[in-house]
Amino acid sequence: MNGLNSYIINYQGVKTKDRVGKSVFFKILAVLIAILVLIIILISVFSLISSGENSSNFINHEIKNGESLWSIASQYYNKSDVDLRKVIYKIKKINNIYSAVINPGRELIIPLNY
Protein backbone atom coordinates (compact mmCIF):
# COMPACT_ATOMS: atom_id res chain seq x y z
CA MET A 1 0.00 0.00 0.00
CA ASN A 2 2.81 2.29 0.78
CA GLY A 3 4.08 2.26 -2.81
CA LEU A 4 0.59 2.92 -4.20
CA ASN A 5 -0.01 5.89 -1.90
CA SER A 6 3.26 7.55 -2.87
CA TYR A 7 2.38 7.15 -6.57
CA ILE A 8 -0.96 8.92 -6.12
CA ILE A 9 0.61 11.77 -4.18
CA ASN A 10 3.31 12.28 -6.82
CA TYR A 11 0.81 12.07 -9.67
CA GLN A 12 -1.47 14.65 -8.05
CA GLY A 13 1.49 16.91 -7.29
CA VAL A 14 2.61 16.95 -10.94
CA LYS A 15 -0.93 17.47 -12.08
CA THR A 16 -1.37 20.36 -9.65
CA LYS A 17 1.84 22.05 -10.86
CA ASP A 18 0.69 21.62 -14.44
CA ARG A 19 -2.68 23.17 -13.64
CA VAL A 20 -0.99 26.09 -11.89
CA GLY A 21 1.21 26.68 -14.93
CA LYS A 22 -1.76 26.59 -17.29
CA SER A 23 -3.75 28.81 -14.94
CA VAL A 24 -1.01 31.46 -14.89
CA PHE A 25 -0.68 31.27 -18.68
CA PHE A 26 -4.41 31.76 -19.20
CA LYS A 27 -4.51 34.64 -16.70
CA ILE A 28 -1.68 36.40 -18.54
CA LEU A 29 -3.38 35.72 -21.86
CA ALA A 30 -6.68 37.13 -20.53
CA VAL A 31 -4.94 40.28 -19.28
CA LEU A 32 -3.23 40.79 -22.65
CA ILE A 33 -6.52 40.33 -24.50
CA ALA A 34 -8.23 42.79 -22.14
CA ILE A 35 -5.48 45.36 -22.74
CA LEU A 36 -5.78 44.88 -26.50
CA VAL A 37 -9.56 45.34 -26.38
CA LEU A 38 -9.15 48.46 -24.23
CA ILE A 39 -6.66 49.93 -26.70
CA ILE A 40 -9.03 49.27 -29.60
CA ILE A 41 -11.91 50.93 -27.72
CA LEU A 42 -9.79 53.99 -26.87
CA ILE A 43 -8.63 54.37 -30.47
CA SER A 44 -12.24 54.16 -31.65
CA VAL A 45 -13.43 56.74 -29.14
CA PHE A 46 -10.65 59.20 -29.97
CA SER A 47 -11.22 58.81 -33.70
CA LEU A 48 -14.93 59.54 -33.21
CA ILE A 49 -14.12 62.62 -31.14
CA SER A 50 -11.65 63.95 -33.68
CA SER A 51 -13.99 63.30 -36.61
CA GLY A 52 -16.52 65.68 -35.06
CA GLU A 53 -14.04 68.55 -35.28
CA ASN A 54 -13.00 68.50 -38.90
CA SER A 55 -11.64 71.55 -40.67
CA SER A 56 -14.92 72.26 -42.50
CA ASN A 57 -16.42 73.47 -39.21
CA PHE A 58 -13.80 76.23 -38.91
CA ILE A 59 -12.36 79.00 -41.03
CA ASN A 60 -9.08 80.90 -40.67
CA HIS A 61 -9.34 84.67 -40.51
CA GLU A 62 -6.40 87.05 -40.63
CA ILE A 63 -6.98 90.10 -38.46
CA LYS A 64 -6.81 93.36 -40.40
CA ASN A 65 -6.19 96.89 -39.11
CA GLY A 66 -9.20 98.31 -37.31
CA GLU A 67 -10.95 94.97 -36.78
CA SER A 68 -12.26 93.88 -33.41
CA LEU A 69 -13.58 90.58 -32.18
CA TRP A 70 -17.08 92.06 -32.38
CA SER A 71 -16.69 93.06 -36.06
CA ILE A 72 -15.16 89.69 -36.95
CA ALA A 73 -17.95 87.79 -35.19
CA SER A 74 -20.63 89.91 -36.88
CA GLN A 75 -18.97 89.29 -40.25
CA TYR A 76 -19.48 85.52 -39.95
CA TYR A 77 -22.68 85.57 -37.87
CA ASN A 78 -24.96 88.21 -39.34
CA LYS A 79 -28.12 86.53 -38.06
CA SER A 80 -30.18 88.43 -35.55
CA ASP A 81 -30.90 85.31 -33.48
CA VAL A 82 -27.23 84.71 -32.58
CA ASP A 83 -25.80 86.28 -29.43
CA LEU A 84 -22.48 87.72 -30.60
CA ARG A 85 -21.16 87.80 -27.03
CA LYS A 86 -21.31 83.98 -26.95
CA VAL A 87 -19.66 83.75 -30.37
CA ILE A 88 -16.86 86.07 -29.22
CA TYR A 89 -16.42 83.97 -26.08
CA LYS A 90 -16.08 80.83 -28.22
CA ILE A 91 -13.60 82.53 -30.58
CA LYS A 92 -11.51 83.69 -27.61
CA LYS A 93 -11.59 80.21 -26.06
CA ILE A 94 -10.57 78.41 -29.28
CA ASN A 95 -7.73 80.86 -29.96
CA ASN A 96 -6.52 81.19 -26.34
CA ILE A 97 -7.21 84.92 -26.23
CA TYR A 98 -7.48 86.31 -22.72
CA SER A 99 -8.21 89.99 -23.43
CA ALA A 100 -10.15 92.12 -25.90
CA VAL A 101 -6.95 93.33 -27.57
CA ILE A 102 -6.13 91.64 -30.87
CA ASN A 103 -3.23 92.44 -33.17
CA PRO A 104 -3.39 92.79 -36.97
CA GLY A 105 -1.76 89.94 -38.88
CA ARG A 106 -2.70 87.22 -36.41
CA GLU A 107 -4.66 84.25 -37.69
CA LEU A 108 -7.87 83.42 -35.84
CA ILE A 109 -9.80 80.18 -36.02
CA ILE A 110 -13.50 81.02 -36.40
CA PRO A 111 -16.09 78.30 -35.70
CA LEU A 112 -18.71 78.26 -38.46
CA ASN A 113 -21.42 76.37 -36.61
CA TYR A 114 -22.58 77.80 -33.37
Side-chain angles (χ1 to χ4, degrees), residues 49-97:
I49 290 171
S50 66
S51 69
E53 296 181 5
N54 59 22
S55 61
S56 64
N57 294 336
F58 300 96
I59 191 167
N60 287 335
H61 177 87
E62 184 178 343
I63 301 171
K64 297 171 189 67
N65 257 344
E67 283 187 321
S68 65
L69 288 174
W70 190 270
S71 66
I72 294 169
S74 63
Q75 179 181 347
Y76 293 101
Y77 294 92
N78 54 7
K79 304 172 196 164
S80 61
D81 61 335
V82 175
D83 187 1
L84 288 181
R85 294 173 297 177
K86 292 182 180 180
V87 173
I88 291 170
Y89 173 78
K90 193 168 187 177
I91 291 171
K92 288 173 74 172
K93 186 176 178 184
I94 290 172
N95 292 285
N96 296 322
I97 298 173

Side-chain angles (χ1 to χ4, degrees), residues 4 23 37 40-41 71 75 86 92 97-98 100 105 107-108:
L4 184 60
S23 174
V37 168
I40 290 171
I41 290 172
S71 66
Q75 179 181 347
K86 292 182 180 180
K92 288 173 74 172
I97 298 173
Y98 302 105
E107 289 273 332
L108 291 179

Side-chain angles (χ1 to χ4, degrees), residues 14-28:
V14 171
K15 191 172 182 182
T16 304
K17 286 180 186 177
D18 190 34
R19 283 185 183 166
V20 169
K22 286 182 181 178
S23 174
V24 170
F25 172 75
F26 285 120
K27 286 179 183 178
I28 292 173

